[in-house]
Amino acid sequence: MTGSDAPPSFRLAYVPGVTPTKWVRIWHERLPGVPLVLSGVSAAEAPDVVRGRGADAGLVRLPMDRTGLSAIPLYTETTVVVVPKDHLVAAVEEVSAAELADEVVLHPLDDTLEWERPPGLPAVERPATTADAVELVAAGVGLLVVPQSLARLYHRRDLTYRPVTDAPESRVALSWREDETTDLVEQFIGIVRGRTVNSTRGRPAPVPEDKSKPTAKAKAKSKATAKSAARKPAAGKSARSGSGGAKRGKPRRRS
């Protein structure tokens, strides 16, 4: 198969913590002839990947640089603090940022939360990634505040997490180039927004009816009228009953 003969595909980038499984399954059900190609990217590089046409769309985290991009927020995540299971925070249902003031709170370079000032005491160095920070929490170096999906993604048996009531929240969004809202992008927008398969959004508009041509209904009506006219007696002729005239009396017998 040559390049020009290859079927179209839809390339979807997604950031850590986002699980596109459900949407991918619906895509395959609705568009079985269009492959959906997934690529995992970091939250920091996701906007540039979509802008640079490395993907047709991306599941990204807000806030982000939206220059040249459209974005539809999909959902907002709970923010949690990751702690060792034997930490005092593990004994409560939730905490505030102020309650972490005396704790060393790690702030990785790939942090996706928009802080005015991160809570707690700063570590000597910032970990390069969230995954590295989780390892440091397990080593007892400090705590980590992240979106809940990342706490689940990097889960360890010796760690747990609790909601932070007043921390910034991370929103997950679908993003694409604002000047390239293609039919396939519209199809995926419909899927993530929960539109049914019968939705007209993102589908070709129906062909307008040619009113100069008689419709099937009009043709049937015309045919029925013609049949009725054929059964109706012609004007000026009386209807006959029976065999076509008045009954004749019996002939008289001649004597």
Side-chain angles (χ1 to χ4, degrees):
M1 179 179 290
T2 64
S4 59
D5 295 331
S9 64
F10 185 71
R11 299 165 302 155
L12 179 67
Y14 67 100
V15 299
V18 175
T19 307
T21 307
K22 176 183 176 181
W23 299 322
V24 172
R25 175 178 55 79
I26 296 174
W27 176 278
H28 289 318
E29 291 173 354
R30 296 187 183 180
L31 294 93
V34 182
L36 192 154
V37 181
L38 292 171
S39 60
V41 297
S42 71
E45 66 181 344
D48 287 337
V49 168
V50 178
R51 255 192 302 267
R53 294 182 172 81
D56 299 302
L59 294 169
V60 301
R61 289 191 181 275
L62 301 178
M64 68 171 190
D65 178 8
R66 293 177 59 169
T67 304
L69 300 176
S70 296
I72 298 175
L74 301 178
Y75 58 89
T76 300
E77 286 198 61
T78 299
T79 301
V80 301
V81 57
V82 180
V83 302
K85 280 191 173 180
D86 59 356
H87 195 278
L88 290 176
V89 169
V92 300
E93 293 186 357
E94 59 185 24
V95 295
S96 66
E99 291 176 290
L100 303 176
D102 296 330
E103 302 283 351
V104 172
V105 178
L106 304 166
H107 188 205
L109 295 175
D110 64 353
D111 184 18
T112 60
L113 300 173
E114 192 172 43
W115 297 98
E116 289 186 7
R117 181 182 179 279
L121 304 172
V124 176
E125 293 183 0
R126 294 183 63 181
T129 67
T130 298
D132 292 338
V134 170
E135 295 298 322
L136 292 174
V137 174
V141 174
L143 309 183
L144 174 65
V145 179
V146 291
Q148 183 170 296
S149 67
L150 292 180
R152 290 174 174 170
L153 177 65
Y154 300 116
H155 173 70
R156 290 175 50 116
R157 292 183 179 181
D158 53 349
L159 301 180
T160 188
Y161 56 85
R162 294 292 183 269
V164 182
T165 57
D166 53 352
E169 295 175 319
S170 175
R171 291 179 296 160
V172 172
L174 175 67
S175 182
W176 66 96
R177 291 178 297 281
E178 62 184 5
D179 59 344
E180 294 186 22
T181 307
T182 64
D183 289 342
L184 292 181
V185 169
E186 284 283 8
Q187 289 284 358
F188 199 76
I189 291 172
I191 289 172
V192 298
R193 282 188 160 178
R195 295 180 193 144
T196 65
V197 69
N198 294 323
S199 172
T200 58
R201 293 291 299 274
R203 296 176 179 272
V207 178
E209 181 182 350
D210 186 353
K211 298 185 179 297
S212 64
K213 296 181 180 180
T215 63
K217 185 176 180 180
K219 288 180 179 179
K221 184 176 180 181
S222 176
K223 188 175 181 180
T225 302
K227 287 184 177 180
S228 176
R231 290 195 298 266
K232 188 175 180 181
K237 294 183 179 180
S238 59
R240 297 179 180 180
S241 62
S243 60
K247 290 184 178 180
R248 298 179 181 178
K250 294 182 178 180
R252 295 179 180 181
R253 296 180 64 185
R254 299 178 73 177
S255 56

